[in-house]
Short mmCIF file of all heavy atoms in Angstrom, two decimals:
data_model
loop_
_atom_site.label_atom_id
_atom_site.label_comp_id
_atom_site.label_asym_id
_atom_site.label_seq_id
_atom_site.Cartn_x
_atom_site.Cartn_y
_atom_site.Cartn_z
N ALA A 1 61.50 42.40 22.37
CA ALA A 1 62.17 43.24 23.40
C ALA A 1 63.57 43.20 23.33
O ALA A 1 64.18 42.35 22.80
CB ALA A 1 61.81 42.51 24.81
N PRO A 2 64.24 44.33 23.77
CA PRO A 2 65.74 44.40 23.60
C PRO A 2 66.50 43.53 24.79
O PRO A 2 65.78 43.16 25.75
CB PRO A 2 66.00 45.73 24.01
CG PRO A 2 64.91 46.33 24.84
CD PRO A 2 63.71 45.49 24.35
N GLY A 3 67.58 43.04 24.42
CA GLY A 3 68.32 42.18 25.43
C GLY A 3 68.46 42.60 26.91
O GLY A 3 68.40 41.89 27.84
N GLU A 4 68.70 43.93 26.93
CA GLU A 4 68.91 44.45 28.25
C GLU A 4 67.56 44.75 29.03
O GLU A 4 67.76 45.04 30.33
CB GLU A 4 69.62 45.81 28.11
CG GLU A 4 68.93 47.03 27.52
CD GLU A 4 69.05 46.93 25.99
OE1 GLU A 4 69.60 45.98 25.47
OE2 GLU A 4 68.46 47.86 25.29
N ASP A 5 66.38 44.61 28.51
CA ASP A 5 65.14 44.67 29.23
C ASP A 5 64.23 43.61 28.53
O ASP A 5 63.28 44.01 27.87
CB ASP A 5 64.68 46.07 29.11
CG ASP A 5 63.48 46.23 30.03
OD1 ASP A 5 63.14 45.31 30.80
OD2 ASP A 5 62.62 47.23 29.85
N SER A 6 64.58 42.38 28.71
CA SER A 6 63.99 41.34 27.77
C SER A 6 62.62 40.74 28.24
O SER A 6 62.07 39.92 27.59
CB SER A 6 64.98 40.21 27.51
OG SER A 6 65.30 39.59 28.64
N GLU A 7 62.24 41.08 29.47
CA GLU A 7 60.99 40.31 30.02
C GLU A 7 59.81 40.82 29.40
O GLU A 7 59.42 42.08 29.40
CB GLU A 7 61.09 40.48 31.49
CG GLU A 7 60.56 39.20 32.23
CD GLU A 7 60.92 39.16 33.73
OE1 GLU A 7 60.12 39.65 34.41
OE2 GLU A 7 62.02 38.74 34.00
N VAL A 8 59.07 39.90 29.00
CA VAL A 8 57.71 40.32 28.45
C VAL A 8 56.81 39.36 29.32
O VAL A 8 56.94 38.24 29.59
CB VAL A 8 57.50 39.82 26.92
CG1 VAL A 8 56.02 40.12 26.56
CG2 VAL A 8 58.40 40.57 26.02
N ILE A 9 55.64 40.04 29.77
CA ILE A 9 54.67 39.40 30.77
C ILE A 9 53.49 38.79 29.93
O ILE A 9 52.93 39.59 29.06
CB ILE A 9 54.21 40.30 31.78
CG1 ILE A 9 55.30 41.11 32.45
CG2 ILE A 9 53.39 39.51 32.87
CD1 ILE A 9 56.44 40.36 33.01
N ILE A 10 53.19 37.57 30.12
CA ILE A 10 51.96 37.08 29.45
C ILE A 10 50.77 36.95 30.50
O ILE A 10 51.06 36.39 31.48
CB ILE A 10 52.24 35.76 28.62
CG1 ILE A 10 53.15 34.76 29.30
CG2 ILE A 10 52.76 36.15 27.25
CD1 ILE A 10 53.47 33.51 28.53
N TYR A 11 49.62 37.23 29.94
CA TYR A 11 48.31 37.30 30.73
C TYR A 11 47.46 36.16 30.16
O TYR A 11 47.10 36.19 29.03
CB TYR A 11 47.67 38.69 30.67
CG TYR A 11 48.20 39.82 31.30
CD1 TYR A 11 49.60 39.91 31.55
CD2 TYR A 11 47.38 40.93 31.67
CE1 TYR A 11 50.13 41.06 32.18
CE2 TYR A 11 47.92 42.03 32.20
CZ TYR A 11 49.39 42.11 32.39
OH TYR A 11 49.92 43.21 32.91
N PRO A 12 47.09 35.25 30.91
CA PRO A 12 46.12 34.13 30.45
C PRO A 12 44.78 34.72 30.17
O PRO A 12 44.27 35.60 30.86
CB PRO A 12 46.09 33.13 31.67
CG PRO A 12 47.32 33.43 32.40
CD PRO A 12 47.64 34.90 32.35
N GLN A 13 44.24 34.39 28.98
CA GLN A 13 42.97 34.96 28.56
C GLN A 13 41.92 34.00 28.19
O GLN A 13 40.66 34.25 28.45
CB GLN A 13 43.19 35.87 27.22
CG GLN A 13 44.13 37.04 27.48
CD GLN A 13 43.61 38.08 28.46
OE1 GLN A 13 42.41 37.96 28.97
NE2 GLN A 13 44.35 39.19 28.65
N ALA A 14 42.30 32.79 27.70
CA ALA A 14 41.32 31.86 27.45
C ALA A 14 41.76 30.38 27.57
O ALA A 14 43.03 30.07 27.26
CB ALA A 14 40.86 32.03 25.90
N ILE A 15 41.02 29.46 28.04
CA ILE A 15 41.58 28.10 28.25
C ILE A 15 40.77 27.10 27.37
O ILE A 15 39.63 27.23 27.18
CB ILE A 15 41.20 27.75 29.79
CG1 ILE A 15 41.96 28.55 30.81
CG2 ILE A 15 41.36 26.19 30.01
CD1 ILE A 15 41.74 28.20 32.24
N PHE A 16 41.60 26.34 26.83
CA PHE A 16 41.10 25.06 26.05
C PHE A 16 41.66 23.86 26.43
O PHE A 16 42.72 23.71 27.05
CB PHE A 16 41.49 25.30 24.69
CG PHE A 16 40.99 26.56 24.06
CD1 PHE A 16 41.62 27.81 24.19
CD2 PHE A 16 39.82 26.57 23.25
CE1 PHE A 16 41.10 28.88 23.55
CE2 PHE A 16 39.20 27.77 22.69
CZ PHE A 16 39.89 28.87 22.90
N LYS A 17 40.96 22.60 26.29
CA LYS A 17 41.53 21.42 26.75
C LYS A 17 42.64 21.02 25.71
O LYS A 17 42.60 21.34 24.64
CB LYS A 17 40.37 20.22 26.58
CG LYS A 17 39.34 20.47 27.67
CD LYS A 17 38.18 19.55 27.46
CE LYS A 17 38.68 18.07 27.72
NZ LYS A 17 37.58 17.15 28.14
N ASP A 18 43.73 20.36 26.25
CA ASP A 18 44.83 20.00 25.45
C ASP A 18 44.69 18.63 24.83
O ASP A 18 44.80 17.70 25.44
CB ASP A 18 46.06 19.95 26.44
CG ASP A 18 47.40 19.83 25.60
OD1 ASP A 18 47.29 19.23 24.49
OD2 ASP A 18 48.45 20.15 26.32
N PRO A 19 44.45 18.62 23.42
CA PRO A 19 44.22 17.41 22.80
C PRO A 19 45.50 16.57 22.59
O PRO A 19 45.46 15.33 22.36
CB PRO A 19 43.73 17.79 21.34
CG PRO A 19 44.39 19.18 21.23
CD PRO A 19 44.52 19.78 22.50
N PHE A 20 46.69 17.13 22.93
CA PHE A 20 47.99 16.39 22.86
C PHE A 20 48.23 15.60 24.24
O PHE A 20 48.63 14.43 24.16
CB PHE A 20 49.09 17.30 22.45
CG PHE A 20 48.84 18.06 21.27
CD1 PHE A 20 48.33 19.37 21.15
CD2 PHE A 20 48.99 17.41 19.98
CE1 PHE A 20 48.05 20.02 20.09
CE2 PHE A 20 48.58 18.01 18.78
CZ PHE A 20 48.22 19.36 18.78
N ARG A 21 48.07 16.37 25.30
CA ARG A 21 48.30 15.79 26.52
C ARG A 21 47.12 15.18 27.30
O ARG A 21 47.16 14.39 28.23
CB ARG A 21 49.06 16.81 27.59
CG ARG A 21 50.39 17.26 27.12
CD ARG A 21 50.96 18.05 28.18
NE ARG A 21 52.33 18.42 27.79
CZ ARG A 21 52.76 19.78 27.48
NH1 ARG A 21 51.82 20.77 27.64
NH2 ARG A 21 53.93 19.99 27.08
N ARG A 22 45.90 15.66 26.88
CA ARG A 22 44.62 15.16 27.34
C ARG A 22 44.53 15.26 28.88
O ARG A 22 45.20 15.96 29.57
CB ARG A 22 44.36 13.77 26.88
CG ARG A 22 44.43 13.68 25.27
CD ARG A 22 43.98 12.47 24.69
NE ARG A 22 44.45 12.55 23.24
CZ ARG A 22 44.65 11.52 22.53
NH1 ARG A 22 44.47 10.24 22.99
NH2 ARG A 22 45.02 11.58 21.18
N GLY A 23 43.71 14.43 29.47
CA GLY A 23 43.34 14.47 30.81
C GLY A 23 42.88 15.88 31.24
O GLY A 23 42.08 16.54 30.44
N ASN A 24 43.47 16.38 32.33
CA ASN A 24 43.01 17.77 32.73
C ASN A 24 43.85 18.84 32.24
O ASN A 24 43.83 20.03 32.78
CB ASN A 24 42.92 17.90 34.30
CG ASN A 24 41.67 17.03 34.92
OD1 ASN A 24 40.61 17.08 34.33
ND2 ASN A 24 41.87 16.31 36.01
N ASN A 25 44.76 18.40 31.48
CA ASN A 25 45.84 19.29 30.84
C ASN A 25 45.20 20.34 30.03
O ASN A 25 44.24 20.03 29.34
CB ASN A 25 46.93 18.67 30.23
CG ASN A 25 47.54 17.58 31.24
OD1 ASN A 25 48.00 17.99 32.39
ND2 ASN A 25 47.63 16.38 30.96
N ILE A 26 45.74 21.57 29.92
CA ILE A 26 45.05 22.65 29.11
C ILE A 26 46.06 23.35 28.35
O ILE A 26 47.18 23.44 28.51
CB ILE A 26 44.38 23.70 30.15
CG1 ILE A 26 45.41 24.27 31.26
CG2 ILE A 26 43.24 23.09 30.85
CD1 ILE A 26 44.96 25.27 32.11
N LEU A 27 45.49 24.04 27.19
CA LEU A 27 46.12 25.02 26.49
C LEU A 27 45.60 26.40 26.88
O LEU A 27 44.42 26.63 27.16
CB LEU A 27 45.74 24.85 24.90
CG LEU A 27 46.12 23.44 24.37
CD1 LEU A 27 45.54 23.46 22.89
CD2 LEU A 27 47.60 23.29 24.27
N VAL A 28 46.42 27.34 26.94
CA VAL A 28 46.08 28.73 27.50
C VAL A 28 46.52 29.79 26.42
O VAL A 28 47.62 29.93 26.18
CB VAL A 28 46.83 28.97 28.87
CG1 VAL A 28 46.28 30.32 29.36
CG2 VAL A 28 46.56 27.85 29.96
N MET A 29 45.47 30.51 25.85
CA MET A 29 45.80 31.65 24.88
C MET A 29 46.12 32.79 25.90
O MET A 29 45.27 33.22 26.66
CB MET A 29 44.59 31.82 23.97
CG MET A 29 44.88 32.73 22.90
SD MET A 29 46.20 32.11 21.74
CE MET A 29 46.91 33.63 21.11
N CYS A 30 47.26 33.39 25.56
CA CYS A 30 47.68 34.56 26.31
C CYS A 30 47.90 35.80 25.40
O CYS A 30 47.98 35.67 24.25
CB CYS A 30 49.04 34.35 26.97
SG CYS A 30 48.94 32.79 28.03
N ASP A 31 47.91 37.06 25.96
CA ASP A 31 48.55 38.15 25.28
C ASP A 31 49.56 38.78 26.12
O ASP A 31 49.90 38.46 27.24
CB ASP A 31 47.42 39.11 24.97
CG ASP A 31 46.64 39.69 26.19
OD1 ASP A 31 46.88 39.33 27.26
OD2 ASP A 31 45.88 40.70 25.80
N ALA A 32 50.36 39.56 25.58
CA ALA A 32 51.71 40.00 26.02
C ALA A 32 51.77 41.53 26.44
O ALA A 32 51.28 42.44 25.71
CB ALA A 32 52.74 39.71 25.01
N TYR A 33 52.47 41.76 27.55
CA TYR A 33 52.53 43.15 28.02
C TYR A 33 53.99 43.46 28.60
O TYR A 33 54.88 42.37 28.84
CB TYR A 33 51.63 43.27 29.27
CG TYR A 33 50.15 43.06 28.96
CD1 TYR A 33 49.56 41.92 28.71
CD2 TYR A 33 49.41 44.26 28.72
CE1 TYR A 33 48.32 41.63 28.35
CE2 TYR A 33 48.03 44.14 28.28
CZ TYR A 33 47.45 42.87 28.10
OH TYR A 33 46.24 42.72 27.78
#
């Protein structure tokens, strides 16, 4: 995106358990709009 309009929105699409933080923490695969 250009600096003067730099915001990109991410939409959560799929959830996975986080092997690094563990517990109930999650990894979230997103796509961008």
Side-chain angles (χ1 to χ4, degrees):
E4 65 279 1
D5 185 12
S6 66
E7 215 161 90
V8 178
I9 317 297
I10 39 181
Y11 294 20
Q13 298 292 1
I15 291 176
F16 297 85
K17 292 176 66 151
D18 185 339
F20 304 102
R21 296 191 177 109
R22 307 194 188 148
N24 289 321
N25 304 305
I26 54 176
L27 303 175
V28 183
M29 190 64 208
C30 303
D31 61 352
Y33 297 81

